[in-house]
C-alpha cells in the first residue's frame, strides 16, 4: 500500500515537471495572512499552457491574474490592500531565461458595513427589517453576506407576486472611516395574476438524433398541469412558483424544467411549463466482494414514469457465494404540489419486496453456520423539510426462517439529517448531524439467550442512534474529517436484532470483520459428541453470550489530502483512525468490546461515487496483545496480528463518512 502511494506521488511529480516549458516561470506570493498561498494560486487561475506562451503574453496574463487576487480580497472587505507585482528574469544553465513573478500583498484592515438603505421604485414598497439582514452596522464586510441578503429581499417581493423584481446594490467605500455604505435598489415590476397553465413535454434527444423532430415525453400533460395549485385569478406566490420547479427536479425524472409567464390582454398571465424528460429506464450490472458474503454479481433494472404519472418499477438481483437475493421495487413522489407547499422537495415513497437467502458464519459465533430465508417488505418515505434538513421514515416487516426457527419481525424508524456542508457526497467544510429513533418487535419467537420470553426478552424493543460529522479545511489541499456516533438499545432484544449495534467493518472499525466487536461473556458447557465409530463422549465447549441491550460509542478520524495537480484532483490519500467501545447497559456480566485501528487509504472520486480502498496498518490498539489461556475469548480473537493481512483491506464505493 505504501509503495503504491509513493509510486503515485513519484509519477505525479514527473507529469507536472515543467522542463518542457518553452518559457519557464515561477510565482511567489508573500505577505498574505488571510488566505493561504494555495487559495491565492487557485485565484490566479493561470492556464495550463502558460509556459508555452510568448513572454509578452505571459506578463500580460500575469497582470490580469493578479487582479483576480485583488478582487478576492475586496470581496472580503480588504479595500486597503496594497498589491504589487514584480517581474524578474533569471538566466538558466541551459541558456533559457526564467521569469519569476513576485506578488507581495499588504492586507490592511477589514472594512465593516456601516449604513444600509433600501430604495424601491414601486408604489407599494414591502417593509424589510434591516436588523434581520447580515449587512447590519459594524459587521465585517463580506460579499457573500450581501448576496444572501439580496436573495432574501428578492424572495420577499416574489412572495407578493412580483415575479420580475430586479434588485441591484451600490457599495460606497469610505476609506477614511474604513467602512462600506450599501444602497439596495429595488424595481419590483408588476404583480403577476394567474391565468392558465400550459404544459409541454419532450423526451431527451440522443446525440445521433440532432436533426430529428423532438418527440413528446411520457408524462401525462393534463395530469402534470393538475399538480399546479395556484388558482386562476390569484396572485402568483413567487416562492411557490420557483419551488414547483425545484420539486420537479427532485423527482429525478427531468433533465430540464422551464417556467415562463406570458401576459394576456385581460391582465392575467399564462404559465408555460416545458420539461425535458430523462431516459425513462436504466440497467446496471457489476461484480463485487463483500467480506461476509464473498464474491458476487448484481444486476439492476428500472423504468420510471409508468402511465405518465411518475410511477417507477424496478428489480434487483444479487448472487454471491453466501447470499442470493431478488428485489421488486415501486416508487412514487407523493403529495406533489398540494397543501404541503412549505416542503421544498417532492415527498418520495419507495417500497421494496425482497426474497433473500444467506448462509454465513455469524460474527459472534464464527465456528457455527447460520442459514436464513427471508421475505422482506420495506417502505421508505423521504422529503426535505428545508434545504438543509431531510426527513426519513421507514417501516420494515419480514418473515425469517433462521436455522428452522421462524420469526416474524416488525421495525419502524424515523431519522433526520441536518446537513450544513458544502458538498453532500464529498464535503470539505461544514457539519452534518443525523439522529435516529426506532422501535421493533418479534412475534412467535423465544429468546435463546434470555429464556423467559416476556416483553423484555425480545418481543418489544426501542433504540436510538446519533451521528455527528465535522469537516474542516486545514491548509493547502489537506482536510480534516471527524465523526462521532453513539447508539443504545433501551429494551432487551434478541441477538438477531441487537447485533445491528455491534461494531467492525469498512464503515465502522476498519481491519475488523463486520460486526465482530461486541460485549459478551463466556460459559463452559458440557456437550455430548460422537466420534467416527459412533461412540459418545463428553466435551467442554465455550458458549458465547452476546449483549442484548447494547450501547456503543465510536470515533472515526481522517486526514484527507487531495492531490493538488489539476489532472489528479480526483485522487485522495487518507490517514484514518477508528475506535469503538461496545457494552451492555442493563447487565454488568458482559465484558466490554473495545477495539481501534490505524491505517492509510486511497480514494478516487468519479461523479457522485468515491472508490475507497483502505488498509489497517495497526489494529488491536485497545486490547492486550498477549492473551493468556484464562483470559476472555474476545481478547484471544482480537489478538494483534503481525505482517500483511488481506482481512485488513476495506473496499467500498463511498467515503467512510
Amino acid at each position: 500500500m505504501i509503495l503504491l502511494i509513493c509510486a503515485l506521488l513519484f509519477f505525479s511529480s514527473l507529469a507536472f515537471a515543467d522542463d518542457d516549458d518553452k518559457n519557464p516561470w515561477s510565482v511567489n506570493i508573500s505577505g498574505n495572512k488571510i488566505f493561504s498561498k494555495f487559495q491565492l494560486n487557485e485565484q490566479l487561475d493561470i492556464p495550463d499552457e502558460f509556459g508555452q506562451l510568448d513572454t509578452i503574453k505571459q506578463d500580460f496574463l500575469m497582470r490580469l491574474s493578479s487582479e483576480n487576487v485583488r478582487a478576492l480580497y475586496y470581496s472580503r472587505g480588504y479595500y486597503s490592500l496594497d498589491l504589487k507585482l514584480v517581474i524578474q528574469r533569471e538566466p538558466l544553465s541551459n541558456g533559457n531565461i526564467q521569469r519569476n513573478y513576485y506578488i507581495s500583498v499588504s492586507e490592511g484592515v477589514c472594512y465593516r458595513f456601516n449604513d444600509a438603505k433600501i430604495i424601491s421604485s414601486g408604489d407599494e414598497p414591502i417593509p424589510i427589517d434591516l436588523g434581520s439582514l447580515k449587512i447590519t452596522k459594524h459587521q465585517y464586510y463580506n460579499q457573500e453576506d450581501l448576496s444572501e441578503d439580496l436573495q432574501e429581499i428578492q424572495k420577499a417581493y416574489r412572495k407578493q407576486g412580483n415575479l420580475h423584481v430586479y434588485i441591484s446594490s451600490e457599495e460606497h467605500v469610505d476609506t477614511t472611516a474604513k467602512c462600506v455604505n450599501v444602497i439596495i435598489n429595488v424595481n419590483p415590476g408588476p404583480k403577476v395574476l394567474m391565468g392558465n397553465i400550459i404544459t409541454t413535454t419532450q423526451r431527451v434527444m440522443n446525440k445521433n438524433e440532432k436533426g430529428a423532430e423532438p418527440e413528446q415525453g411520457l408524462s401525462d400533460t393534463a395530469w402534470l398541469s393538475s399538480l399546479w395549485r395556484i388558482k386562476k385569478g390569484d396572485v402568483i406566490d413567487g416562492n411557490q412558483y420557483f419551488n414547483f420547479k425545484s420539486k420537479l427536479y427532485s423527482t429525478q425524472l427531468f433533465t430540464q424544467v422551464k417556467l415562463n409567464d406570458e401576459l394576456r390582454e385581460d391582465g392575467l398571465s399564462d404559465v408555460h411549463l416545458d420539461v425535458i424528460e430523462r431516459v425513462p429506464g436504466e440497467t446496471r450490472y457489476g461484480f463485487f466482494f463483500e467480506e461476509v458474503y464473498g464474491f458476487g454479481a448484481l444486476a439492476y433494472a428500472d423504468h420510471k414514469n409508468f402511465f405518465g404519472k411518475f410511477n417507477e418499477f424496478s428489480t434487483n438481483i444479487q448472487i454471491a457465494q453466501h447470499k442470493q437475493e431478488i428485489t421488486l421495487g415501486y416508487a412514487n413522489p407523493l403529495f406533489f404540489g398540494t397543501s404541503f407547499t412549505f416542503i421544498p422537495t417532492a415527498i418520495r415513497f419507495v417500497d421494496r419486496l425482497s426474497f433473500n437467502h444467506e448462509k454465513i458464519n455469524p460474527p459472534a459465533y464464527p465456528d457455527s453456520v447460520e442459514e436464513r430465508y427471508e421475505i422482506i417488505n420495506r417502505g421508505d418515505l423521504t422529503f426535505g423539510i428545508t434545504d438543509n434538513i431531510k426527513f426519513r421514515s421507514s417501516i420494515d416487516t419480514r418473515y425469517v426462517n433462521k436455522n428452522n426457527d421462524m420469526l416474524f419481525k416488525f421495525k419502524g424508524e424515523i431519522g433526520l439529517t441536518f446537513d450544513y456542508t458544502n458538498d453532500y457526497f464529498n464535503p470539505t467544510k461544514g457539519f452534518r448531524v443525523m439522529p435516529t429513533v426506532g422501535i421493533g418487535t418479534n412475534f412467535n419467537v423465544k429468546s435463546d439467550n434470555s429464556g423467559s420470553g416476556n416483553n423484555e426478552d425480545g418481543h418489544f424493543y426501542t433504540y436510538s442512534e446519533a451521528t455527528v460529522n465535522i469537516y474542516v479545511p486545514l491548509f493547502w489541499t489537506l482536510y480534516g474529517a471527524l465523526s462521532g456516533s453513539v447508539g443504545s438499545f433501551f429494551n432487551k432484544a434478541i441477538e438477531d436484532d441487537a447485533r445491528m449495534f455491534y461494531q467492525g467493518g469498512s464503515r465502522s472499525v476498519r481491519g475488523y470483520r463486520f460486526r465482530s466487536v461486541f460485549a459478551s461473556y463466556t460459559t463452559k458447557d458440557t456437550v455430548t459428541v460422537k466420534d467416527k465409530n459412533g461412540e459418545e463422549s463428553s466435551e467442554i465447549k465455550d458458549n458465547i453470550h452476546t449483549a442484548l441491550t447494547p450501547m456503543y460509542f465510536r470515533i472515526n478520524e481522517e486526514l484527507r489530502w487531495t492531490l493538488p495537480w489539476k489532472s489528479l484532483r480526483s485522487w485522495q490519500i487518507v490517514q484514518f483512525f477508528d475506535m469503538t467501545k461496545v457494552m451492555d447497559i442493563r447487565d454488568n456480566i458482559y465484558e466490554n468490546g473495545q477495539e481501534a485501528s490505524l491505517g492509510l487509504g486511497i480514494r478516487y472520486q468519479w461523479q457522485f461515487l468515491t472508490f475507497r480502498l483502505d488498509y489497517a496498518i495497526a489494529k488491536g490498539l485497545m486490547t492486550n496483545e498477549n492473551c493468556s489461556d484464562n483470559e476472555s475469548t474476545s481478547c484471544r480473537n482480537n489478538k494483534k496480528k503481525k505482517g500483511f493481512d488481506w482481512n485488513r483491506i476495506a473496499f467500498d464505493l463511498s467515503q467512510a463518512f
Side-chain angles (χ1 to χ4, degrees):
M1 176 68 68
I2 297 176
L3 290 176
L4 179 61
I5 294 173
C6 292
L8 179 62
L9 292 176
F10 174 74
F11 287 115
S12 299
S13 63
L14 290 181
F16 289 91
D18 52 7
D19 293 341
D20 295 332
D21 285 351
K22 176 182 175 183
N23 296 299
W25 58 280
S26 69
V27 177
N28 183 274
I29 301 175
S30 62
N32 55 300
K33 297 177 182 178
I34 306 302
F35 300 103
S36 68
K37 290 184 179 180
F38 174 75
Q39 288 175 298
L40 297 183
N41 277 316
E42 286 283 287
Q43 188 69 17
L44 285 172
D45 195 22
I46 300 171
D48 294 335
E49 64 276 10
F50 187 84
Q52 304 297 325
L53 299 176
D54 181 83
T55 56
I56 296 177
K57 290 183 179 179
Q58 283 184 332
D59 294 347
F60 175 74
L61 281 178
M62 188 58 68
R63 289 190 177 93
L64 289 180
S65 296
S66 64
E67 291 304 310
N68 292 341
V69 174
R70 189 187 303 276
L72 177 63
Y73 274 100
Y74 283 0
S75 70
R76 295 297 181 88
Y78 290 91
Y79 286 102
S80 297
L81 175 74
D82 183 16
L83 186 147
K84 295 179 181 178
L85 172 65
V86 177
I87 305 173
Q88 293 183 355
R89 298 162 180 80
E90 177 185 352
L92 300 177
S93 58
N94 59 6
N96 289 340
I97 301 295
Q98 175 168 311
R99 306 177 81 76
N100 298 322
Y101 297 96
Y102 294 93
I103 300 175
S104 62
V105 296
S106 177
E107 294 165 335
V109 298
C110 182
Y111 285 33
R112 297 174 183 266
F113 288 110
N114 181 39
D115 186 34
K117 294 180 180 179
I118 300 177
I119 301 175
S120 176
S121 61
D123 297 331
E124 300 178 6
I126 297 175
I128 303 293
D129 181 13
L130 293 176
S132 64
L133 301 179
K134 294 184 177 181
I135 58 175
T136 53
K137 193 171 185 177
H138 304 314
Q139 294 293 321
Y140 283 113
Y141 178 87
N142 190 323
Q143 212 168 64
E144 292 181 2
D145 291 342
L146 177 59
S147 177
E148 290 179 11
D149 283 344
L150 293 179
Q151 289 181 1
E152 291 302 315
I153 296 172
Q154 185 183 54
K155 287 181 181 179
Y157 274 88
R158 283 178 172 175
K159 186 174 180 61
Q160 302 300 319
N162 304 102
L163 298 186
H164 305 288
V165 59
Y166 177 76
I167 299 179
S168 62
S169 64
E170 300 176 19
E171 298 157 56
H172 300 278
V173 179
D174 186 342
T175 56
T176 303
K178 309 294 186 187
C179 64
V180 180
N181 299 307
V182 179
I183 299 176
I184 300 174
N185 298 303
V186 180
N187 181 4
K191 291 188 177 183
V192 181
L193 302 178
M194 184 64 199
N196 298 318
I197 181 165
I198 303 168
T199 301
T200 62
T201 65
Q202 294 180 24
R203 70 174 182 85
V204 67
M205 298 292 291
N206 229 324
K207 291 181 179 179
N208 301 325
E209 300 177 333
K210 290 183 178 179
E213 288 291 326
E215 296 183 14
Q216 183 174 335
L218 296 177
S219 298
D220 184 330
T221 54
W223 179 80
L224 199 56
S225 296
S226 70
L227 300 176
W228 185 266
R229 296 301 183 187
I230 300 176
K231 297 179 180 179
K232 189 173 183 178
D234 288 353
V235 173
I236 296 180
D237 182 339
N239 294 335
Q240 187 174 339
Y241 180 92
F242 290 99
N243 280 346
F244 188 84
K245 184 176 180 179
S246 299
K247 285 187 177 183
L248 282 177
Y249 275 123
S250 72
T251 64
Q252 302 177 9
L253 295 172
F254 305 101
T255 62
Q256 186 173 318
V257 177
K258 289 184 178 180
L259 277 173
N260 296 293
D261 58 281
E262 182 181 18
L263 183 64
R264 305 189 325 196
E265 292 182 356
D266 58 2
L268 303 180
S269 294
D270 291 335
V271 175
H272 293 266
L273 170 63
D274 304 309
V275 299
I276 297 179
E277 299 174 349
R278 294 183 185 274
V279 175
E282 63 176 327
T283 58
R284 296 195 301 266
Y285 63 90
F287 302 91
F288 65 89
F289 173 78
E290 209 280 337
E291 58 182 332
V292 174
Y293 301 120
F295 289 96
L298 60 88
Y300 171 83
D302 75 341
H303 194 286
K304 302 177 181 179
N305 218 354
F306 260 102
F307 316 120
K309 298 181 179 180
F310 296 175
N311 298 286
E312 177 184 332
F313 294 93
S314 63
T315 181
N316 183 60
I317 299 175
Q318 293 188 50
I319 300 176
Q321 290 174 279
H322 308 297
K323 179 184 178 72
Q324 301 82 42
E325 182 178 80
I326 181 170
T327 301
L328 305 175
Y330 170 78
N332 198 324
L334 304 176
F335 306 122
F336 186 99
T338 63
S339 57
F340 298 100
T341 53
F342 63 93
I343 295 177
T345 66
I347 303 175
R348 181 175 175 82
F349 171 74
V350 180
D351 189 78
R352 299 181 182 89
L353 178 64
S354 302
F355 303 89
N356 176 57
H357 168 256
E358 56 187 61
K359 192 173 184 179
I360 63 171
N361 304 108
Y365 313 100
D367 296 331
S368 63
V369 176
E370 177 182 291
E371 184 172 20
R372 62 196 297 147
Y373 298 87
E374 294 178 304
I375 302 175
I376 308 166
N377 189 78
R378 179 185 174 97
D380 292 281
L381 194 69
T382 57
F383 59 87
I385 299 177
T386 68
D387 291 336
N388 301 104
I389 303 175
K390 306 294 189 295
F391 173 87
R392 173 187 59 82
S393 66
S394 64
I395 295 178
D396 185 301
T397 57
R398 60 182 67 196
Y399 165 79
V400 181
N401 188 320
K402 184 179 74 169
N403 292 348
N404 297 320
D405 289 336
M406 292 177 289
L407 311 172
F408 181 75
K409 294 174 172 289
F410 172 88
K411 184 173 72 173
E413 192 172 275
I414 294 176
L416 293 172
T417 299
F418 300 85
D419 187 84
Y420 295 90
T421 59
N422 59 343
D423 186 304
Y424 186 82
F425 295 104
N426 292 291
T428 58
K429 183 179 180 180
F431 67 93
R432 186 178 294 156
V433 181
M434 295 166 286
T436 300
V437 294
I439 183 172
T441 187
N442 292 279
F443 300 102
N444 300 326
V445 57
K446 183 181 289 185
S447 172
D448 295 331
N449 292 305
S450 50
S452 62
N454 58 30
N455 275 355
E456 292 187 343
D457 296 328
H459 281 287
F460 174 83
Y461 61 90
T462 56
Y463 62 91
S464 179
E465 190 173 17
T467 299
V468 178
N469 296 343
I470 301 173
Y471 308 93
V472 180
L474 299 176
F475 62 91
W476 198 24
T477 57
L478 183 66
Y479 304 92
L482 184 66
S483 177
S485 294
V486 58
S488 177
F489 270 71
F490 303 111
N491 306 84
K492 188 175 290 186
I494 63 174
E495 189 271 343
D496 195 60
D497 297 313
R499 69 172 63 166
M500 65 183 283
F501 275 3
Y502 300 166
Q503 299 295 289
S506 64
R507 292 180 178 272
S508 173
V509 185
R510 283 159 279 193
Y512 288 88
R513 190 166 175 258
F514 180 62
R515 290 181 179 170
S516 61
V517 183
F518 47 84
S520 66
Y521 70 90
T522 305
T523 58
K524 303 288 186 180
D525 292 347
T526 301
V527 296
T528 302
V529 296
K530 292 183 179 181
D531 59 19
K532 59 182 180 180
N533 297 322
E535 296 182 2
E536 295 184 350
S537 61
S538 297
E539 183 178 300
I540 297 178
K541 185 179 180 181
D542 288 343
N543 189 17
I544 300 174
H545 304 265
T546 60
L548 303 180
T549 48
M551 180 178 187
Y552 80 89
F553 299 92
R554 186 179 72 241
I555 294 177
N556 304 93
E557 169 271 332
E558 287 190 352
L559 290 177
R560 301 170 179 173
W561 180 48
T562 302
L563 298 186
W565 304 284
K566 288 186 179 180
S567 63
L568 290 179
R569 285 181 185 171
S570 297
W571 291 90
Q572 273 186 344
I573 296 175
V574 172
Q575 170 272 324
F576 68 83
F577 173 75
D578 301 331
M579 184 274 291
T580 191
K581 182 176 182 179
V582 188
M583 64 199 75
D584 191 284
I585 63 171
R586 295 276 300 269
D587 299 315
N588 59 9
I589 57 177
Y590 294 92
E591 179 187 354
N592 296 340
Q594 48 189 11
E595 295 296 348
S597 63
L598 179 70
L600 293 174
I602 296 178
R603 312 281 189 270
Y604 178 76
Q605 297 173 7
W606 178 74
Q607 296 183 5
F608 59 89
L609 289 178
T610 297
F611 295 88
R612 172 164 63 93
L613 183 65
D614 292 328
Y615 182 78
I617 297 174
K619 55 181 287 191
L621 303 178
M622 296 183 65
T623 55
N624 189 1
E625 180 178 353
N626 299 311
C627 303
S628 59
D629 292 338
N630 59 357
E631 287 183 287
S632 69
T633 302
S634 174
C635 178
R636 295 195 299 273
N637 287 343
N638 293 313
K639 181 179 177 180
K640 190 191 302 182
K641 296 181 180 179
K642 303 291 186 181
F644 180 80
D645 184 359
W646 286 100
N647 293 325
R648 299 188 183 195
I649 294 178
F651 177 76
D652 205 338
L653 296 180
S654 68
Q655 289 279 18
F657 57 91

